[in-house]
Amino acid sequence: MARERATALLVDFDGVLRRWDPAVAAGVEREYGLSTGVLGEIAMSWGMLQPVLTGRVSHAEWVSSVADALTPSVGDPSRARAAVEQWQRYRGEVDPQVLAFIREVRAAGIRVGLGTNATDLLDADLAALDLTEELDVVVNSSVIGVHKPAKEYFQAACVALETPPDRVLFVDDEDRAINGARVAGLSAYRWNGPDDLRYLRAALAC
């Protein structure tokens, strides 16, 4: 039996609504004499990332931990911290096509939530990117204490959207998150880029 059409949309932040220019990190690494990719390698290592994504440590504490781990590569703690702070000042860019799509969806009466693994800096990021009024709900892993792709994360997201799982369409650029959403009963679509918007518009009939 075919599923009923989704009445709510849950959209990932990084990789879907927000884009990151890799040239920024590369520029910092060149300036400080670091190997290419080392900032992301250290910062995104799961042992360091998982606590900040579940709210056990703050964004500021995470930044300090990244600087500490980077110090051997730089040779000076103050330079390591300066490098990480310079890298972190860049907060990404909004994909204008995705934002336009979200506005269309909301104008059609469909609730839109942001579903993201993020730190306690998320609200400030949304404000800086002028996104605060563009979403109906924000489901931040560091606030609810559990991250994608856990089933509990998606259950919390559906509660926030006030919509049953089988009426929520989730869009993400990571296969693990897509699989987790489907296990939780949501429809899920693997994001590849703005060319996917035609399909998503048809799926939501907006």
Side-chain angles (χ1 to χ4, degrees):
M1 187 173 69
R3 295 177 69 111
E4 293 187 78
R5 191 179 299 278
T7 57
L9 175 67
L10 184 66
V11 180
D12 180 39
F13 194 26
D14 294 323
V16 181
L17 180 54
R18 176 165 65 176
R19 304 177 300 194
W20 297 96
D21 183 352
V24 174
V28 174
E29 288 164 347
R30 283 195 303 271
E31 180 178 341
Y32 286 84
L34 300 167
S35 58
T36 301
V38 69
L39 285 169
E41 182 181 332
I42 292 174
M44 304 304 166
S45 62
W46 193 237
M48 190 166 290
L49 191 60
Q50 199 266 353
V52 74
L53 293 184
T54 51
R56 301 209 309 272
V57 302
S58 68
H59 187 95
E61 289 169 327
W62 173 70
V63 166
S64 293
S65 297
V66 173
D68 289 344
L70 186 65
T71 296
S73 299
V74 178
D76 174 39
S78 62
R79 273 181 60 80
R81 183 164 188 88
V84 174
E85 290 180 347
Q86 182 175 328
W87 170 55
Q88 282 291 297
R89 280 196 289 272
Y90 171 60
R91 302 312 303 162
E93 303 155 12
V94 175
D95 186 316
Q97 294 182 70
V98 177
L99 179 57
F101 169 65
I102 287 172
R103 288 170 173 169
E104 290 175 28
V105 171
R106 295 183 75 204
I110 297 170
R111 287 172 63 79
V112 177
L114 188 71
T116 180
N117 289 341
T119 75
D120 61 3
L121 197 65
L122 179 61
D123 288 347
D125 280 353
L126 294 176
L129 296 169
D130 293 324
L131 292 172
T132 303
E133 302 300 323
E134 302 286 358
L135 302 149
D136 294 299
V137 299
V138 173
V139 188
N140 180 352
S141 64
S142 66
V143 172
I144 65 175
V146 62
H147 56 75
K148 297 179 293 184
K151 183 177 182 179
E152 293 81 4
Y153 176 90
F154 293 105
Q155 290 171 335
C158 292
V159 170
L161 283 165
E162 301 177 345
T163 307
D166 62 353
R167 304 301 296 275
V168 176
L169 173 60
F170 173 61
V171 180
D172 199 289
D173 64 329
E174 293 189 0
D175 290 332
R176 291 178 70 248
I178 293 297
N179 293 336
R182 289 173 177 162
V183 168
L186 288 72
S187 297
Y189 186 83
R190 171 67 157 78
W191 177 256
N192 299 290
D195 287 347
D196 293 338
L197 291 173
R198 178 179 297 181
Y199 170 84
L200 294 173
R201 285 188 177 97
L204 293 167
C206 63

